Amino acid sequence: LVWNDNQKHQHDATQIEGRLQAIGQSWSERLSNSLIERLANEDEAADLTLKYGNAFADSYQEMYRARQAVHDIEKIEEAIAHNRVEVDLYRPYNAGGREVSLKIYSLDNPVALSDVLPILENMGLRVVAEYPHEVRPRGENRSVWIQDFLAEVAGKVANNPDKKSVQAIRDQFESCLKGIWAGQVENDSLNKLILLSGMSWRDIVILRACVRY
């Protein structure tokens, strides 16, 4: 432990040294460390570092920490493996009020705003900003686009969303959105019940059938 001259504040020398080392590292080096921390297999971490160490654009590196990229890499790998769109609903750490964020991962080209915005509106989200980033994984013959949408929950809700409440409905929301994109789930305003009431998308399918009947 290191004490200052007045002996009033104490600092962990190891923690300070770690922060200084991190400042001196490149973004790709920090990504490598984050992958090693996240994955039990060091060989897998090394392979992913080689594949993604230089794959992210400068705009992405300025906006996100390397440890956040680890989760994005997992989503990108799923998108590539299954040749489909992947999504991720989350609550940013600095979000206020009704704000949430949604990332869409698509192959080759970003999704058209004219296609996705009506879907998100029917699901209860009003998009206020979009941050697109192209990712070029080494060894892949196609790029992947990450579109990070900052949105507000529209409609009456009992409480503003927080991290816990977003996590509670995230799987249902993401499954519904991917189902709509694949043409397996209908795109209408009933889908906003996932956000507003926590209803599952399968229950909404049943409700939709009852309404029509």
Side-chain angles (χ1 to χ4, degrees):
L1 295 177
V2 179
W3 292 81
N4 69 359
D5 292 339
N6 297 325
Q7 298 290 302
K8 292 180 179 178
H9 301 287
Q10 127 182 66
H11 305 279
D12 188 326
T14 303
Q15 185 179 26
I16 294 174
E17 182 180 357
R19 289 180 178 178
L20 290 174
Q21 289 176 346
I23 292 173
Q25 290 178 331
S26 67
W27 193 88
S28 60
E29 288 173 333
R30 294 196 295 273
L31 175 62
S32 177
N33 291 337
S34 296
L35 285 166
I36 292 172
E37 291 175 4
R38 182 72 167 265
L39 302 173
N41 189 323
E42 290 190 5
D43 290 337
E44 183 182 359
D47 290 341
L48 289 175
T49 298
L50 181 64
K51 186 174 183 178
Y52 289 98
N54 298 308
F56 293 91
D58 291 342
S59 61
Y60 180 97
Q61 295 181 29
E62 292 170 1
M63 191 169 182
Y64 305 98
R65 296 180 180 178
R67 61 181 178 82
Q68 292 174 287
V70 174
H71 180 71
D72 285 337
I73 287 172
E74 292 175 350
K75 287 288 186 176
I76 290 171
E77 288 289 292
E78 290 180 16
I80 293 173
H82 301 288
N83 193 34
R84 69 186 183 196
V85 167
E86 289 293 334
V87 299
D88 181 36
L89 180 71
Y90 68 102
R91 170 80 169 175
Y93 74 92
N94 59 347
R98 297 184 172 197
E99 290 180 344
V100 296
S101 287
L102 175 74
K103 285 182 180 177
I104 297 181
Y105 308 79
S106 57
L107 303 173
D108 300 320
N109 298 294
V111 299
L113 296 182
S114 58
D115 291 335
V116 72
L117 291 186
I119 295 174
L120 297 182
E121 289 174 1
N122 276 336
M123 297 189 73
L125 292 182
R126 184 177 70 85
V127 173
V128 297
E130 180 212 11
Y131 306 97
H133 307 281
E134 186 178 12
V135 184
R136 295 178 174 272
R138 182 175 180 176
E140 295 289 342
N141 59 5
R142 60 203 311 191
S143 61
V144 181
W145 281 86
I146 302 175
Q147 290 164 274
D148 196 353
F149 295 94
L150 178 63
E152 294 180 345
V153 177
K156 294 181 179 180
V157 290
N159 299 294
N160 287 333
D162 56 21
K163 183 177 180 180
K164 185 176 180 179
S165 63
V166 170
Q167 288 177 335
I169 56 91
R170 181 173 59 192
D171 289 346
Q172 290 295 330
F173 185 95
E174 293 176 1
S175 295
C176 182
L177 178 53
K178 289 193 289 186
I180 294 171
W181 201 256
Q184 300 169 346
V185 177
E186 291 195 44
N187 174 31
D188 61 28
S189 58
L190 286 177
N191 292 324
K192 69 180 57 176
L193 291 173
I194 296 175
L195 276 179
L196 300 184
S197 68
M199 183 178 291
S200 74
W201 71 267
R202 294 184 185 278
D203 287 342
I204 292 173
V205 170
I206 297 173
L207 176 62
R208 184 177 291 115
C210 293
V211 170
R212 289 181 176 176
Y213 181 78

